[in-house]
Amino acid sequence: MGEDDLAWFGQLLARTAAAGLTAFSGGRRYTAGYLTARQGREHYDVPAFAATSSIDDADIEAGDTKFVGTDNVFRMGTARIEAFSGTDSGLYELIKDGRVEEYRQAAYELHPKRHAPREAGARKDPISFQDDGTVMTLSILPIRKRRPL
C-alpha cells in the first residue's frame, strides 16, 4: 500500500467502524449502507422481523446523555435479563445520516467527557461506556407470573 492509498484506507476503516456501531445499536438498515457485498451487506440489507432482528427502537438516559439502541430479553435460569446496547444519540444521528467524518470528530471531542459508571444516574444495573460513544447495560427484570391456560 502506497501513500496515495492512505486516504482510501482511512475511509474503509471509518465505514467499517460505522457499520459495527450501527449493528451494535440495532440500526441494520444503516449498517448495510456502510458495507460492501464482500463484507456481508446482504446480511443487513433485508427486512427486519420480530424475534429475528434487532432494531434501534429503545433508549436510555445515563447522566445527561440519551443513548439510542436496541434491547433484548433473555433468560438465565428463572431470571429474565434485559440487555441494552446503544450509542450516544447525537453520535448515532451523524452515523445514520452518513456523516462518518463528523461522527469521528465528535466522538474524539467527547472522549475526555465520557461517563464514569458512577455518573449513570439512578441506574443500579451494571453499565459500560466505551470511547466510541457506545453503551451496554444489563437489567434483571421482575419475575412475571403466568396466568393458567
Side-chain angles (χ1 to χ4, degrees), residues 17-32 34 54-59 65-70 84-100 102-104 106-107 110 114 132-135:
L21 188 129
T22 55
F24 181 76
S25 301
R28 68 181 299 115
R29 64 187 174 272
Y30 308 111
T31 304
Y34 288 111
S54 58
I55 56 172
D56 55 351
D57 64 346
D59 59 65
T65 306
K66 180 179 176 181
F67 293 88
V68 63
T70 186
F84 172 85
S85 59
T87 305
D88 176 301
S89 62
L91 297 176
Y92 191 67
E93 287 300 316
L94 294 173
I95 292 291
K96 278 175 47 175
D97 293 341
R99 297 161 39 200
V100 178
E102 289 177 58
Y103 156 76
R104 290 175 63 189
L110 285 175
R114 278 294 164 238
D132 60 357
T134 58
V135 65

mmCIF file of all heavy atoms in Angstrom, residues 17-32 34 54-59 65-70 84-100 102-104 106-107 110 114 132-135:
data_model
loop_
_atom_site.group_PDB
_atom_site.id
_atom_site.type_symbol
_atom_site.label_atom_id
_atom_site.label_comp_id
_atom_site.label_asym_id
_atom_site.label_seq_id
_atom_site.Cartn_x
_atom_site.Cartn_y
_atom_site.Cartn_z
ATOM 1 N N ALA A 17 -16.067 0.760 10.838
ATOM 2 C CA ALA A 17 -16.395 1.092 12.233
ATOM 3 C C ALA A 17 -17.836 1.587 12.339
ATOM 4 O O ALA A 17 -18.553 1.235 13.282
ATOM 5 C CB ALA A 17 -15.426 2.145 12.763
ATOM 6 N N ALA A 18 -18.277 2.397 11.382
ATOM 7 C CA ALA A 18 -19.654 2.886 11.382
ATOM 8 C C ALA A 18 -20.637 1.723 11.246
ATOM 9 O O ALA A 18 -21.678 1.700 11.907
ATOM 10 C CB ALA A 18 -19.865 3.899 10.255
ATOM 11 N N ALA A 19 -20.304 0.757 10.423
ATOM 12 C CA ALA A 19 -21.162 -0.426 10.267
ATOM 13 C C ALA A 19 -21.254 -1.187 11.580
ATOM 14 O O ALA A 19 -22.338 -1.619 11.986
ATOM 15 C CB ALA A 19 -20.624 -1.334 9.161
ATOM 16 N N GLY A 20 -20.137 -1.343 12.258
ATOM 17 C CA GLY A 20 -20.149 -2.032 13.545
ATOM 18 C C GLY A 20 -20.972 -1.288 14.581
ATOM 19 O O GLY A 20 -21.722 -1.889 15.352
ATOM 20 N N LEU A 21 -20.860 0.019 14.590
ATOM 21 C CA LEU A 21 -21.595 0.833 15.546
ATOM 22 C C LEU A 21 -23.098 0.750 15.299
ATOM 23 O O LEU A 21 -23.875 0.580 16.231
ATOM 24 C CB LEU A 21 -21.125 2.280 15.449
ATOM 25 C CG LEU A 21 -21.676 3.198 16.506
ATOM 26 C CD1 LEU A 21 -20.534 3.959 17.164
ATOM 27 C CD2 LEU A 21 -22.628 4.168 15.874
ATOM 28 N N THR A 22 -23.515 0.842 14.049
ATOM 29 C CA THR A 22 -24.956 0.764 13.773
ATOM 30 C C THR A 22 -25.489 -0.639 14.027
ATOM 31 O O THR A 22 -26.611 -0.790 14.510
ATOM 32 C CB THR A 22 -25.283 1.207 12.331
ATOM 33 O OG1 THR A 22 -24.520 0.445 11.413
ATOM 34 C CG2 THR A 22 -25.010 2.690 12.146
ATOM 35 N N ALA A 23 -24.698 -1.664 13.728
ATOM 36 C CA ALA A 23 -25.135 -3.035 14.008
ATOM 37 C C ALA A 23 -25.300 -3.239 15.512
ATOM 38 O O ALA A 23 -26.279 -3.841 15.968
ATOM 39 C CB ALA A 23 -24.143 -4.039 13.433
ATOM 40 N N PHE A 24 -24.368 -2.734 16.303
ATOM 41 C CA PHE A 24 -24.425 -2.843 17.763
ATOM 42 C C PHE A 24 -25.663 -2.158 18.317
ATOM 43 O O PHE A 24 -26.254 -2.616 19.291
ATOM 44 C CB PHE A 24 -23.152 -2.218 18.351
ATOM 45 C CG PHE A 24 -23.051 -2.281 19.846
ATOM 46 C CD1 PHE A 24 -22.725 -3.464 20.489
ATOM 47 C CD2 PHE A 24 -23.258 -1.147 20.614
ATOM 48 C CE1 PHE A 24 -22.613 -3.520 21.868
ATOM 49 C CE2 PHE A 24 -23.140 -1.189 21.997
ATOM 50 C CZ PHE A 24 -22.817 -2.382 22.630
ATOM 51 N N SER A 25 -26.068 -1.069 17.681
ATOM 52 C CA SER A 25 -27.202 -0.283 18.157
ATOM 53 C C SER A 25 -28.525 -0.678 17.512
ATOM 54 O O SER A 25 -29.534 -0.027 17.747
ATOM 55 C CB SER A 25 -26.937 1.207 17.894
ATOM 56 O OG SER A 25 -25.764 1.603 18.554
ATOM 57 N N GLY A 26 -28.518 -1.718 16.703
ATOM 58 C CA GLY A 26 -29.755 -2.195 16.096
ATOM 59 C C GLY A 26 -30.159 -1.476 14.827
ATOM 60 O O GLY A 26 -31.279 -1.625 14.357
ATOM 61 N N GLY A 27 -29.265 -0.714 14.234
ATOM 62 C CA GLY A 27 -29.604 0.047 13.035
ATOM 63 C C GLY A 27 -29.247 -0.663 11.755
ATOM 64 O O GLY A 27 -28.527 -0.130 10.923
ATOM 65 N N ARG A 28 -29.767 -1.851 11.573
ATOM 66 C CA ARG A 28 -29.382 -2.692 10.438
ATOM 67 C C ARG A 28 -29.577 -2.009 9.089
ATOM 68 O O ARG A 28 -28.782 -2.196 8.185
ATOM 69 C CB ARG A 28 -30.108 -4.027 10.485
ATOM 70 C CG ARG A 28 -31.606 -3.931 10.251
ATOM 71 C CD ARG A 28 -32.333 -5.276 10.334
ATOM 72 N NE ARG A 28 -31.861 -6.203 9.355
ATOM 73 C CZ ARG A 28 -31.228 -7.347 9.663
ATOM 74 N NH1 ARG A 28 -31.010 -7.669 10.894
ATOM 75 N NH2 ARG A 28 -30.835 -8.149 8.713
ATOM 76 N N ARG A 29 -30.607 -1.187 8.945
ATOM 77 C CA ARG A 29 -30.820 -0.537 7.648
ATOM 78 C C ARG A 29 -29.706 0.458 7.337
ATOM 79 O O ARG A 29 -29.431 0.749 6.190
ATOM 80 C CB ARG A 29 -32.190 0.101 7.577
ATOM 81 C CG ARG A 29 -32.421 1.219 8.560
ATOM 82 C CD ARG A 29 -33.884 1.666 8.505
ATOM 83 N NE ARG A 29 -34.194 2.638 9.510
ATOM 84 C CZ ARG A 29 -34.590 2.357 10.746
ATOM 85 N NH1 ARG A 29 -34.696 1.101 11.129
ATOM 86 N NH2 ARG A 29 -34.877 3.314 11.592
ATOM 87 N N TYR A 30 -29.051 0.981 8.372
ATOM 88 C CA TYR A 30 -27.918 1.883 8.157
ATOM 89 C C TYR A 30 -26.626 1.086 7.992
ATOM 90 O O TYR A 30 -25.727 1.500 7.272
ATOM 91 C CB TYR A 30 -27.787 2.865 9.319
ATOM 92 C CG TYR A 30 -29.087 3.574 9.597
ATOM 93 C CD1 TYR A 30 -29.813 3.321 10.748
ATOM 94 C CD2 TYR A 30 -29.621 4.477 8.669
ATOM 95 C CE1 TYR A 30 -31.017 3.946 10.985
ATOM 96 C CE2 TYR A 30 -30.825 5.108 8.899
ATOM 97 C CZ TYR A 30 -31.521 4.837 10.055
ATOM 98 O OH TYR A 30 -32.723 5.459 10.279
ATOM 99 N N THR A 31 -26.547 -0.037 8.656
ATOM 100 C CA THR A 31 -25.359 -0.886 8.579
ATOM 101 C C THR A 31 -25.084 -1.293 7.142
ATOM 102 O O THR A 31 -23.949 -1.223 6.666
ATOM 103 C CB THR A 31 -25.534 -2.142 9.460
ATOM 104 O OG1 THR A 31 -25.819 -1.728 10.794
ATOM 105 C CG2 THR A 31 -24.290 -3.006 9.445
ATOM 106 N N ALA A 32 -26.119 -1.707 6.439
ATOM 107 C CA ALA A 32 -25.960 -2.172 5.058
ATOM 108 C C ALA A 32 -25.308 -1.115 4.182
ATOM 109 O O ALA A 32 -24.505 -1.440 3.303
ATOM 110 C CB ALA A 32 -27.315 -2.576 4.479
ATOM 111 N N TYR A 34 -23.004 0.916 4.828
ATOM 112 C CA TYR A 34 -21.579 1.084 5.084
ATOM 113 C C TYR A 34 -20.743 -0.110 4.647
ATOM 114 O O TYR A 34 -19.523 -0.051 4.698
ATOM 115 C CB TYR A 34 -21.327 1.351 6.570
ATOM 116 C CG TYR A 34 -21.756 2.727 6.998
ATOM 117 C CD1 TYR A 34 -22.842 2.911 7.830
ATOM 118 C CD2 TYR A 34 -21.077 3.847 6.548
ATOM 119 C CE1 TYR A 34 -23.234 4.180 8.219
ATOM 120 C CE2 TYR A 34 -21.462 5.119 6.922
ATOM 121 C CZ TYR A 34 -22.541 5.273 7.760
ATOM 122 O OH TYR A 34 -22.931 6.529 8.129
ATOM 123 N N SER A 54 -32.724 -7.160 15.524
ATOM 124 C CA SER A 54 -32.868 -6.063 16.467
ATOM 125 C C SER A 54 -32.972 -4.761 15.692
ATOM 126 O O SER A 54 -32.393 -4.615 14.632
ATOM 127 C CB SER A 54 -31.683 -6.033 17.428
ATOM 128 O OG SER A 54 -30.481 -5.899 16.726
ATOM 129 N N ILE A 55 -33.754 -3.860 16.241
ATOM 130 C CA ILE A 55 -33.923 -2.561 15.595
ATOM 131 C C ILE A 55 -33.666 -1.464 16.616
ATOM 132 O O ILE A 55 -33.787 -1.683 17.819
ATOM 133 C CB ILE A 55 -35.324 -2.401 14.963
ATOM 134 C CG1 ILE A 55 -36.414 -2.632 16.008
ATOM 135 C CG2 ILE A 55 -35.502 -3.328 13.787
ATOM 136 C CD1 ILE A 55 -37.788 -2.314 15.525
ATOM 137 N N ASP A 56 -33.321 -0.296 16.149
ATOM 138 C CA ASP A 56 -32.978 0.826 17.032
ATOM 139 C C ASP A 56 -34.233 1.516 17.541
ATOM 140 O O ASP A 56 -34.533 2.638 17.192
ATOM 141 C CB ASP A 56 -32.043 1.799 16.311
ATOM 142 C CG ASP A 56 -32.609 2.284 14.990
ATOM 143 O OD1 ASP A 56 -33.639 1.751 14.520
ATOM 144 O OD2 ASP A 56 -32.028 3.212 14.423
ATOM 145 N N ASP A 57 -34.944 0.837 18.430
ATOM 146 C CA ASP A 57 -36.229 1.342 18.908
ATOM 147 C C ASP A 57 -36.282 1.526 20.425
ATOM 148 O O ASP A 57 -37.344 1.684 20.997
ATOM 149 C CB ASP A 57 -37.354 0.409 18.471
ATOM 150 C CG ASP A 57 -37.236 -0.976 19.089
ATOM 151 O OD1 ASP A 57 -36.158 -1.296 19.636
ATOM 152 O OD2 ASP A 57 -38.213 -1.731 19.035
ATOM 153 N N ALA A 58 -35.133 1.502 21.077
ATOM 154 C CA ALA A 58 -35.102 1.647 22.525
ATOM 155 C C ALA A 58 -34.133 2.767 22.888
ATOM 156 O O ALA A 58 -33.259 3.121 22.102
ATOM 157 C CB ALA A 58 -34.654 0.336 23.170
ATOM 158 N N ASP A 59 -34.318 3.326 24.065
ATOM 159 C CA ASP A 59 -33.361 4.340 24.526
ATOM 160 C C ASP A 59 -33.269 4.304 26.037
ATOM 161 O O ASP A 59 -34.167 3.797 26.714
ATOM 162 C CB ASP A 59 -33.732 5.735 24.031
ATOM 163 C CG ASP A 59 -35.101 6.194 24.482
ATOM 164 O OD1 ASP A 59 -35.290 6.379 25.708
ATOM 165 O OD2 ASP A 59 -35.980 6.386 23.631
ATOM 166 N N THR A 65 -27.060 12.269 29.174
ATOM 167 C CA THR A 65 -26.934 11.783 27.806
ATOM 168 C C THR A 65 -27.995 10.745 27.486
ATOM 169 O O THR A 65 -28.225 9.826 28.277
ATOM 170 C CB THR A 65 -25.536 11.167 27.579
ATOM 171 O OG1 THR A 65 -24.545 12.129 27.943
ATOM 172 C CG2 THR A 65 -25.344 10.757 26.127
ATOM 173 N N LYS A 66 -28.622 10.899 26.333
ATOM 174 C CA LYS A 66 -29.573 9.905 25.847
ATOM 175 C C LYS A 66 -28.831 8.968 24.908
ATOM 176 O O LYS A 66 -28.054 9.410 24.050
ATOM 177 C CB LYS A 66 -30.724 10.582 25.101
ATOM 178 C CG LYS A 66 -31.745 9.605 24.561
ATOM 179 C CD LYS A 66 -32.868 10.345 23.862
ATOM 180 C CE LYS A 66 -33.840 9.380 23.239
ATOM 181 N NZ LYS A 66 -34.921 10.079 22.543
ATOM 182 N N PHE A 67 -29.056 7.680 25.073
ATOM 183 C CA PHE A 67 -28.485 6.661 24.205
ATOM 184 C C PHE A 67 -29.618 5.954 23.483
ATOM 185 O O PHE A 67 -30.628 5.618 24.091
ATOM 186 C CB PHE A 67 -27.685 5.635 25.025
ATOM 187 C CG PHE A 67 -26.454 6.212 25.657
ATOM 188 C CD1 PHE A 67 -26.520 6.804 26.908
ATOM 189 C CD2 PHE A 67 -25.235 6.185 25.004
ATOM 190 C CE1 PHE A 67 -25.397 7.349 27.497
ATOM 191 C CE2 PHE A 67 -24.105 6.732 25.581
ATOM 192 C CZ PHE A 67 -24.189 7.316 26.838
ATOM 193 N N VAL A 68 -29.468 5.755 22.196
ATOM 194 C CA VAL A 68 -30.471 5.063 21.395
ATOM 195 C C VAL A 68 -29.872 3.740 20.945
ATOM 196 O O VAL A 68 -28.679 3.655 20.668
ATOM 197 C CB VAL A 68 -30.931 5.928 20.193
ATOM 198 C CG1 VAL A 68 -29.795 6.201 19.239
ATOM 199 C CG2 VAL A 68 -32.083 5.277 19.458
ATOM 200 N N GLY A 69 -30.721 2.718 20.908
ATOM 201 C CA GLY A 69 -30.213 1.410 20.502
ATOM 202 C C GLY A 69 -31.289 0.360 20.487
ATOM 203 O O GLY A 69 -32.432 0.626 20.117
ATOM 204 N N THR A 70 -30.914 -0.804 20.942
ATOM 205 C CA THR A 70 -31.819 -1.934 20.919
ATOM 206 C C THR A 70 -31.745 -2.659 22.248
ATOM 207 O O THR A 70 -30.736 -2.592 22.947
ATOM 208 C CB THR A 70 -31.475 -2.887 19.752
ATOM 209 O OG1 THR A 70 -32.464 -3.906 19.664
ATOM 210 C CG2 THR A 70 -30.103 -3.528 19.914
ATOM 211 N N PHE A 84 -29.327 -3.963 26.970
ATOM 212 C CA PHE A 84 -29.461 -2.806 26.090
ATOM 213 C C PHE A 84 -28.090 -2.500 25.518
ATOM 214 O O PHE A 84 -27.099 -2.433 26.247
ATOM 215 C CB PHE A 84 -29.970 -1.581 26.860
ATOM 216 C CG PHE A 84 -29.947 -0.319 26.041
ATOM 217 C CD1 PHE A 84 -31.012 -0.013 25.215
ATOM 218 C CD2 PHE A 84 -28.856 0.536 26.061
ATOM 219 C CE1 PHE A 84 -30.996 1.138 24.425
ATOM 220 C CE2 PHE A 84 -28.824 1.684 25.292
ATOM 221 C CZ PHE A 84 -29.903 1.989 24.467
ATOM 222 N N SER A 85 -28.031 -2.315 24.205
ATOM 223 C CA SER A 85 -26.797 -1.852 23.562
ATOM 224 C C SER A 85 -27.168 -0.683 22.674
ATOM 225 O O SER A 85 -28.156 -0.728 21.945
ATOM 226 C CB SER A 85 -26.140 -2.972 22.749
ATOM 227 O OG SER A 85 -27.015 -3.459 21.743
ATOM 228 N N GLY A 86 -26.402 0.391 22.790
ATOM 229 C CA GLY A 86 -26.742 1.573 22.017
ATOM 230 C C GLY A 86 -25.597 2.551 21.916
ATOM 231 O O GLY A 86 -24.473 2.276 22.337
ATOM 232 N N THR A 87 -25.912 3.707 21.368
ATOM 233 C CA THR A 87 -24.935 4.742 21.075
ATOM 234 C C THR A 87 -25.483 6.090 21.509
ATOM 235 O O THR A 87 -26.694 6.320 21.442
ATOM 236 C CB THR A 87 -24.665 4.770 19.550
ATOM 237 O OG1 THR A 87 -24.281 3.476 19.137
ATOM 238 C CG2 THR A 87 -23.572 5.751 19.196
ATOM 239 N N ASP A 88 -24.592 6.967 21.905
ATOM 240 C CA ASP A 88 -24.946 8.355 22.193
ATOM 241 C C ASP A 88 -25.841 8.843 21.049
ATOM 242 O O ASP A 88 -25.481 8.727 19.874
ATOM 243 C CB ASP A 88 -23.652 9.174 22.287
ATOM 244 C CG ASP A 88 -23.878 10.647 22.487
ATOM 245 O OD1 ASP A 88 -24.534 11.277 21.624
ATOM 246 O OD2 ASP A 88 -23.373 11.177 23.476
ATOM 247 N N SER A 89 -27.024 9.364 21.367
ATOM 248 C CA SER A 89 -27.999 9.691 20.318
ATOM 249 C C SER A 89 -27.476 10.718 19.322
ATOM 250 O O SER A 89 -27.772 10.631 18.128
ATOM 251 C CB SER A 89 -29.314 10.166 20.941
ATOM 252 O OG SER A 89 -29.115 11.336 21.692
ATOM 253 N N GLY A 90 -26.706 11.692 19.778
ATOM 254 C CA GLY A 90 -26.149 12.682 18.853
ATOM 255 C C GLY A 90 -25.170 12.062 17.872
ATOM 256 O O GLY A 90 -25.184 12.356 16.672
ATOM 257 N N LEU A 91 -24.322 11.168 18.374
ATOM 258 C CA LEU A 91 -23.369 10.478 17.504
ATOM 259 C C LEU A 91 -24.094 9.542 16.539
ATOM 260 O O LEU A 91 -23.732 9.432 15.367
ATOM 261 C CB LEU A 91 -22.356 9.691 18.337
ATOM 262 C CG LEU A 91 -21.451 10.517 19.249
ATOM 263 C CD1 LEU A 91 -20.556 9.603 20.080
ATOM 264 C CD2 LEU A 91 -20.630 11.511 18.449
ATOM 265 N N TYR A 92 -25.139 8.883 17.049
ATOM 266 C CA TYR A 92 -25.888 7.950 16.203
ATOM 267 C C TYR A 92 -26.560 8.671 15.038
ATOM 268 O O TYR A 92 -26.589 8.163 13.916
ATOM 269 C CB TYR A 92 -26.912 7.200 17.049
ATOM 270 C CG TYR A 92 -27.553 6.042 16.326
ATOM 271 C CD1 TYR A 92 -26.804 4.928 15.980
ATOM 272 C CD2 TYR A 92 -28.894 6.058 15.990
ATOM 273 C CE1 TYR A 92 -27.376 3.855 15.321
ATOM 274 C CE2 TYR A 92 -29.479 5.000 15.337
ATOM 275 C CZ TYR A 92 -28.717 3.900 15.008
ATOM 276 O OH TYR A 92 -29.288 2.845 14.349
ATOM 277 N N GLU A 93 -27.071 9.862 15.291
ATOM 278 C CA GLU A 93 -27.700 10.641 14.218
ATOM 279 C C GLU A 93 -26.686 10.948 13.107
ATOM 280 O O GLU A 93 -27.023 10.905 11.916
ATOM 281 C CB GLU A 93 -28.314 11.931 14.753
ATOM 282 C CG GLU A 93 -29.572 11.720 15.550
ATOM 283 C CD GLU A 93 -30.687 11.051 14.760
ATOM 284 O OE1 GLU A 93 -30.928 11.440 13.588
ATOM 285 O OE2 GLU A 93 -31.308 10.126 15.302
ATOM 286 N N LEU A 94 -25.452 11.253 13.494
ATOM 287 C CA LEU A 94 -24.423 11.518 12.481
ATOM 288 C C LEU A 94 -24.171 10.283 11.629
ATOM 289 O O LEU A 94 -24.081 10.372 10.399
ATOM 290 C CB LEU A 94 -23.117 11.968 13.151
ATOM 291 C CG LEU A 94 -23.161 13.315 13.869
ATOM 292 C CD1 LEU A 94 -21.862 13.554 14.633
ATOM 293 C CD2 LEU A 94 -23.432 14.444 12.887
ATOM 294 N N ILE A 95 -24.082 9.124 12.270
ATOM 295 C CA ILE A 95 -23.849 7.872 11.536
ATOM 296 C C ILE A 95 -25.040 7.569 10.628
ATOM 297 O O ILE A 95 -24.872 7.182 9.478
ATOM 298 C CB ILE A 95 -23.594 6.706 12.515
ATOM 299 C CG1 ILE A 95 -22.272 6.898 13.241
ATOM 300 C CG2 ILE A 95 -23.624 5.364 11.796
ATOM 301 C CD1 ILE A 95 -21.046 6.750 12.401
ATOM 302 N N LYS A 96 -26.260 7.724 11.152
ATOM 303 C CA LYS A 96 -27.459 7.463 10.341
ATOM 304 C C LYS A 96 -27.467 8.310 9.076
ATOM 305 O O LYS A 96 -27.896 7.859 8.027
ATOM 306 C CB LYS A 96 -28.725 7.766 11.139
ATOM 307 C CG LYS A 96 -29.160 6.681 12.065
ATOM 308 C CD LYS A 96 -30.345 7.068 12.927
ATOM 309 C CE LYS A 96 -31.481 7.727 12.210
ATOM 310 N NZ LYS A 96 -32.651 7.970 13.077
ATOM 311 N N ASP A 97 -26.991 9.547 9.208
ATOM 312 C CA ASP A 97 -27.004 10.467 8.075
ATOM 313 C C ASP A 97 -25.806 10.290 7.146
ATOM 314 O O ASP A 97 -25.643 11.060 6.194
ATOM 315 C CB ASP A 97 -27.034 11.911 8.576
ATOM 316 C CG ASP A 97 -28.331 12.252 9.283
ATOM 317 O OD1 ASP A 97 -29.331 11.530 9.097
ATOM 318 O OD2 ASP A 97 -28.347 13.240 10.040
ATOM 319 N N GLY A 98 -24.942 9.312 7.444
ATOM 320 C CA GLY A 98 -23.785 9.067 6.583
ATOM 321 C C GLY A 98 -22.634 10.028 6.808
ATOM 322 O O GLY A 98 -21.726 10.114 5.993
ATOM 323 N N ARG A 99 -22.639 10.727 7.916
ATOM 324 C CA ARG A 99 -21.613 11.741 8.195
ATOM 325 C C ARG A 99 -20.522 11.145 9.085
ATOM 326 O O ARG A 99 -20.352 11.506 10.249
ATOM 327 C CB ARG A 99 -22.288 12.952 8.828
ATOM 328 C CG ARG A 99 -23.271 13.563 7.836
ATOM 329 C CD ARG A 99 -24.336 14.471 8.389
ATOM 330 N NE ARG A 99 -23.932 15.365 9.455
ATOM 331 C CZ ARG A 99 -24.792 15.930 10.289
ATOM 332 N NH1 ARG A 99 -26.078 15.686 10.171
ATOM 333 N NH2 ARG A 99 -24.386 16.740 11.233
ATOM 334 N N VAL A 100 -19.781 10.195 8.521
ATOM 335 C CA VAL A 100 -18.794 9.425 9.275
ATOM 336 C C VAL A 100 -17.672 10.301 9.818
ATOM 337 O O VAL A 100 -17.284 10.170 10.982
ATOM 338 C CB VAL A 100 -18.215 8.282 8.408
ATOM 339 C CG1 VAL A 100 -17.151 7.504 9.164
ATOM 340 C CG2 VAL A 100 -19.328 7.351 7.962
ATOM 341 N N GLU A 102 -17.727 13.467 10.520
ATOM 342 C CA GLU A 102 -18.246 14.296 11.611
ATOM 343 C C GLU A 102 -18.416 13.461 12.880
ATOM 344 O O GLU A 102 -18.153 13.938 13.984
ATOM 345 C CB GLU A 102 -19.564 14.945 11.220
ATOM 346 C CG GLU A 102 -19.409 16.037 10.181
ATOM 347 C CD GLU A 102 -20.748 16.605 9.781
ATOM 348 O OE1 GLU A 102 -21.478 17.094 10.671
ATOM 349 O OE2 GLU A 102 -21.065 16.558 8.584
ATOM 350 N N TYR A 103 -18.885 12.216 12.710
ATOM 351 C CA TYR A 103 -19.004 11.314 13.861
ATOM 352 C C TYR A 103 -17.642 11.095 14.508
ATOM 353 O O TYR A 103 -17.501 11.192 15.728
ATOM 354 C CB TYR A 103 -19.603 9.962 13.444
ATOM 355 C CG TYR A 103 -19.202 8.867 14.404
ATOM 356 C CD1 TYR A 103 -19.812 8.763 15.655
ATOM 357 C CD2 TYR A 103 -18.182 7.989 14.096
ATOM 358 C CE1 TYR A 103 -19.411 7.805 16.563
ATOM 359 C CE2 TYR A 103 -17.770 7.025 14.997
ATOM 360 C CZ TYR A 103 -18.390 6.935 16.228
ATOM 361 O OH TYR A 103 -17.978 5.991 17.124
ATOM 362 N N ARG A 104 -16.637 10.796 13.694
ATOM 363 C CA ARG A 104 -15.300 10.535 14.242
ATOM 364 C C ARG A 104 -14.782 11.738 15.022
ATOM 365 O O ARG A 104 -14.222 11.593 16.105
ATOM 366 C CB ARG A 104 -14.332 10.160 13.118
ATOM 367 C CG ARG A 104 -14.627 8.785 12.532
ATOM 368 C CD ARG A 104 -13.757 8.463 11.367
ATOM 369 N NE ARG A 104 -12.353 8.400 11.775
ATOM 370 C CZ ARG A 104 -11.342 8.300 10.945
ATOM 371 N NH1 ARG A 104 -11.565 8.249 9.649
ATOM 372 N NH2 ARG A 104 -10.106 8.223 11.371
ATOM 373 N N ALA A 106 -16.611 14.204 16.404
ATOM 374 C CA ALA A 106 -17.446 14.407 17.593
ATOM 375 C C ALA A 106 -17.118 13.373 18.669
ATOM 376 O O ALA A 106 -17.039 13.710 19.857
ATOM 377 C CB ALA A 106 -18.923 14.342 17.223
ATOM 378 N N ALA A 107 -16.914 12.117 18.288
ATOM 379 C CA ALA A 107 -16.569 11.077 19.260
ATOM 380 C C ALA A 107 -15.226 11.385 19.902
ATOM 381 O O ALA A 107 -15.048 11.210 21.118
ATOM 382 C CB ALA A 107 -16.547 9.710 18.583
ATOM 383 N N LEU A 110 -15.685 14.155 22.424
ATOM 384 C CA LEU A 110 -16.416 13.730 23.616
ATOM 385 C C LEU A 110 -15.598 12.795 24.497
ATOM 386 O O LEU A 110 -15.945 12.585 25.657
ATOM 387 C CB LEU A 110 -17.710 13.017 23.216
ATOM 388 C CG LEU A 110 -18.840 13.899 22.728
ATOM 389 C CD1 LEU A 110 -20.009 13.044 22.260
ATOM 390 C CD2 LEU A 110 -19.285 14.861 23.809
ATOM 391 N N ARG A 114 -16.352 11.463 28.660
ATOM 392 C CA ARG A 114 -17.101 10.215 28.792
ATOM 393 C C ARG A 114 -17.577 9.996 30.213
ATOM 394 O O ARG A 114 -16.952 10.425 31.175
ATOM 395 C CB ARG A 114 -16.232 9.018 28.405
ATOM 396 C CG ARG A 114 -16.150 8.763 26.964
ATOM 397 C CD ARG A 114 -17.481 8.344 26.371
ATOM 398 N NE ARG A 114 -17.329 8.519 24.946
ATOM 399 C CZ ARG A 114 -18.088 9.283 24.204
ATOM 400 N NH1 ARG A 114 -19.104 9.905 24.691
ATOM 401 N NH2 ARG A 114 -17.866 9.419 22.932
ATOM 402 N N ASP A 132 -16.114 5.059 21.881
ATOM 403 C CA ASP A 132 -16.738 5.374 20.600
ATOM 404 C C ASP A 132 -18.167 5.883 20.744
ATOM 405 O O ASP A 132 -18.870 6.098 19.763
ATOM 406 C CB ASP A 132 -16.705 4.163 19.672
ATOM 407 C CG ASP A 132 -17.444 2.952 20.225
ATOM 408 O OD1 ASP A 132 -17.958 3.010 21.368
ATOM 409 O OD2 ASP A 132 -17.491 1.934 19.513
ATOM 410 N N GLY A 133 -18.623 6.070 21.993
ATOM 411 C CA GLY A 133 -19.974 6.577 22.228
ATOM 412 C C GLY A 133 -20.999 5.495 22.475
ATOM 413 O O GLY A 133 -22.183 5.775 22.611
ATOM 414 N N THR A 134 -20.550 4.236 22.549
ATOM 415 C CA THR A 134 -21.484 3.137 22.777
ATOM 416 C C THR A 134 -21.619 2.846 24.264
ATOM 417 O O THR A 134 -20.758 3.179 25.069
ATOM 418 C CB THR A 134 -21.048 1.858 22.031
ATOM 419 O OG1 THR A 134 -19.729 1.491 22.453
ATOM 420 C CG2 THR A 134 -21.076 2.063 20.536
ATOM 421 N N VAL A 135 -22.726 2.201 24.595
ATOM 422 C CA VAL A 135 -23.019 1.826 25.973
ATOM 423 C C VAL A 135 -23.722 0.468 25.952
ATOM 424 O O VAL A 135 -24.413 0.128 24.988
ATOM 425 C CB VAL A 135 -23.909 2.886 26.662
ATOM 426 C CG1 VAL A 135 -25.279 2.972 26.036
ATOM 427 C CG2 VAL A 135 -24.016 2.644 28.158
#
